[in-house]
Amino acid sequence: MQVAAWAVIVNNGDKFKYTHGGKTVWYTITDASRGYVKVGRTVTDGSLQTSNAGATTSDVSGDVTIPSTMTWNGVNFAVKEIGEFSFGRASGTSSLTNVYMPSTVTKISGYAFQNCTSLASISLPGSVTSIGERAFYGCSILYFVFADMTSPCTFGTNAFYGIGSSCYLRVPSGKKSDYINKGWTTSIFKGGVLDGTVGDTFKYTYEGKAM
């Protein structure tokens, strides 16, 4: 007797939570045929907040690593997007300190990290092609942005408004002028734009002490 194998059907818009490195984060399927998902908004009790209105109660705290791939219901998925308000909030503060994004991510949506007031540094994978409005708005102690895109991407209005007053931007070696021409300038990154060349020096102040 032959037993038929039943395929698990997944659909665009399906939501699931996945734990990696001890941190549970919600994901939404954006393209079931390709196996693409985006990071959703996880709130304090571990549930998914489906509305961004009044989004004030994030919280995945501490350091978070987003895996490049995951399996749910026997189907493999790749993370392509950090969704709106994934870690950000409309107001208040956040205890998120670092987020490690995989090289599969191509889009950081608007408000994704808004008001993440404990976020000290962020690495933008080379795969990123767009950053939405207010994505890092109000990240007031953000002092290091490591951009690994060989071609600088566009970013929305106020994407980096209110970041650390001496924030540094490090870009791939030899790409400094490309970034500046695309608007990644010292008017935003007041600490300076470094081209990743060995030997670059800079000063960093932590808890009142310059180093």
Side-chain angles (χ1 to χ4, degrees), residues 20-155:
H20 180 77
K23 302 295 174 71
T24 299
V25 173
W26 278 87
Y27 297 88
T28 301
I29 297 175
T30 55
D31 190 331
S33 63
R34 292 178 163 183
Y36 291 165
V37 297
K38 69 177 180 180
V39 178
R41 179 174 176 75
T42 307
V43 295
T44 308
D45 65 0
S47 62
L48 175 72
Q49 182 167 313
T50 56
S51 171
N52 293 329
T56 58
T57 57
S58 209
D59 206 43
V60 179
S61 62
D63 293 356
V64 176
T65 298
I66 303 298
S68 57
T69 60
M70 63 196 67
T71 302
W72 178 67
N73 275 358
V75 180
N76 295 325
F77 293 98
V79 180
K80 301 294 285 186
E81 177 184 347
I82 309 298
E84 286 192 356
F85 283 105
S86 291
F87 301 101
R89 53 181 63 206
S91 61
T93 59
S94 165
S95 55
L96 181 75
T97 52
N98 282 292
V99 173
Y100 303 98
M101 290 181 275
S103 59
T104 54
V105 170
T106 60
K107 179 180 179 180
I108 299 174
S109 296
Y111 313 92
F113 296 95
Q114 177 174 278
N115 290 325
C116 284
T117 51
S118 297
L119 188 66
S121 67
I122 194 78
S123 293
L124 305 175
S127 52
V128 172
T129 58
S130 69
I131 298 173
E133 63 176 336
R134 297 170 70 109
F136 296 95
Y137 181 100
C139 294
S140 54
I141 71 162
L142 184 61
Y143 282 109
F144 296 98
V145 174
F146 300 95
D148 291 332
M149 301 87 73
T150 54
S151 296
C153 70
T154 58
F155 55 86

Side-chain angles (χ1 to χ4, degrees), residues 141 143-144 166 168 202-211:
I141 71 162
Y143 282 109
F144 296 98
S166 299
Y168 290 92
F202 57 91
K203 182 171 69 174
Y204 173 59
T205 301
Y206 178 71
E207 295 184 347
K209 297 180 179 180
M211 296 176 280

Side-chain angles (χ1 to χ4, degrees), residues 28 186-187:
T28 301
T186 53
S187 64

Side-chain angles (χ1 to χ4, degrees), residues 144 168-176 192-203:
F144 296 98
Y168 290 92
L169 171 68
R170 195 276 288 144
V171 304
S173 180
K175 298 296 182 178
K176 181 176 178 176
V193 178
L194 309 177
D195 71 356
T197 302
V198 175
D200 278 339
T201 60
F202 57 91
K203 182 171 69 174

